[in-house]
Amino acid sequence: MLHRLFALCALALVGATAAASAARAEPVRLVAFGDSLTAGYGLAASQAFPVRLQTALRAKGHEVVIENAGVSGDTTSAGLARLDWSIPQGTDGVILELGANDALRGLDPAIPERSLDAILARLKVRGIPVLMAGMRAPPNLGSAYQARFDGIYEKLARKYDVPLYPFFLNGVAGSPALNLPDGVHPTAAGVDIIVARMLPAVEAFLATLKTQAPAGNAAPD
C-alpha cells in the first residue's frame, strides 16, 4: 500500500513538472500594430520590423512570436477602426506604432490623440499590455505643430501608465543611406538599427508581461 502511495506521489510530481515545463515553453505572443513602418513597405517580408525583432529576441533567449499587423497608409483613425479584429484573443502584448501618416498629412494633432487614446482604452479593457512607440512630426510643419503632435505620446503614456519608446525611427530618420528613395521608409539596414535600438525597451516590456496573469482579452462587443 505504501509502495503504491509513493508511486502515485511520484507520478503527480512528474505531471506537475511536465505541466510547468509546458507552461514555460509556451511563447509570448505579441502583435506589432502599426502602419507601413511596421508592415515593411518596400521590403521583403523577412526584412519587416516584426520579423527582425522576433529574430533578435529569440537570439537572446526569448520565446516570442510576433504577428505583423501593420497596414501601409494607416492613420491612427484607420488603426482604431480595425483594432478589435487585428488583435486576436490570446495576445499577450501589443507594440503600438501609429501616427506617422497623421503627421505627414498635417492632420490636427487632436485627431491622432483621440484615436490613440481610444486604442489604449480598448486594449486596457481587454487586459492587453502595450508598449507604445512614439512618432515625431516633420520639421516643415512648424515648431507649434511639432510641439503639439510630439507631446501626444508622452501624455497618453502617462495617462494609461504604459511604457513609451520615444521615437520609433530613432537613428534612422533623416539618413539617406538608411531610407528608401522616398526618404520616409527604412531600408533593411534601417530596420535592423530600429530593432537594435528598441530591443532593450522590448526586453523590459517582456519582463513585465511575465509578472502578469494572462487575461481572456476578448474583443469588446
Side-chain angles (χ1 to χ4, degrees), residues 95-188:
I95 299 173
L96 175 60
E97 176 277 306
L98 280 172
N101 288 310
D102 297 71
L104 288 173
R105 299 178 188 186
L107 299 181
D108 186 332
I111 296 173
E113 181 174 352
R114 283 195 300 269
S115 297
L116 289 171
D117 191 309
I119 288 171
L120 290 167
R122 287 194 192 180
L123 292 174
K124 183 176 181 179
V125 168
R126 292 181 63 185
I128 303 177
V130 176
L131 168 61
M132 184 160 59
M135 193 53 58
R136 293 180 181 171
N140 64 298
L141 294 174
S143 58
Y145 184 94
Q146 280 184 298
R148 288 183 62 207
F149 182 90
D150 296 359
I152 291 171
Y153 298 90
E154 186 174 349
K155 178 181 177 180
L156 292 176
R158 287 197 307 267
K159 178 177 179 179
Y160 288 95
D161 192 24
V162 299
L164 172 66
Y165 182 72
F167 184 35
F168 183 77
L169 294 173
N170 181 32
V172 173
S175 172
L178 296 174
N179 285 277
L180 298 177
D182 62 15
V184 175
H185 297 94
T187 60

Side-chain angles (χ1 to χ4, degrees), residues 30-115:
L30 302 180
V31 173
F33 185 71
D35 49 39
S36 56
L37 300 175
T38 291
Y41 175 87
L43 303 175
S46 61
Q47 297 171 329
F49 168 74
V51 178
R52 300 303 297 151
L53 178 60
Q54 177 178 288
T55 299
L57 288 169
R58 288 183 174 180
K60 298 196 71 176
H62 300 285
E63 288 297 322
V64 297
V65 173
I66 306 180
E67 179 181 340
N68 188 341
V71 174
S72 294
D74 259 12
T75 60
T76 54
S77 299
L80 174 60
R82 67 179 176 91
L83 177 68
D84 294 335
W85 56 264
S86 294
I87 311 296
Q89 187 171 353
T91 297
D92 296 308
V94 169
I95 299 173
L96 175 60
E97 176 277 306
L98 280 172
N101 288 310
D102 297 71
L104 288 173
R105 299 178 188 186
L107 299 181
D108 186 332
I111 296 173
E113 181 174 352
R114 283 195 300 269
S115 297

Side-chain angles (χ1 to χ4, degrees), residues 181-202:
D182 62 15
V184 175
H185 297 94
T187 60
V191 170
D192 284 342
I193 287 177
I194 292 171
V195 168
R197 295 202 175 199
M198 197 170 177
L199 194 59
V202 179

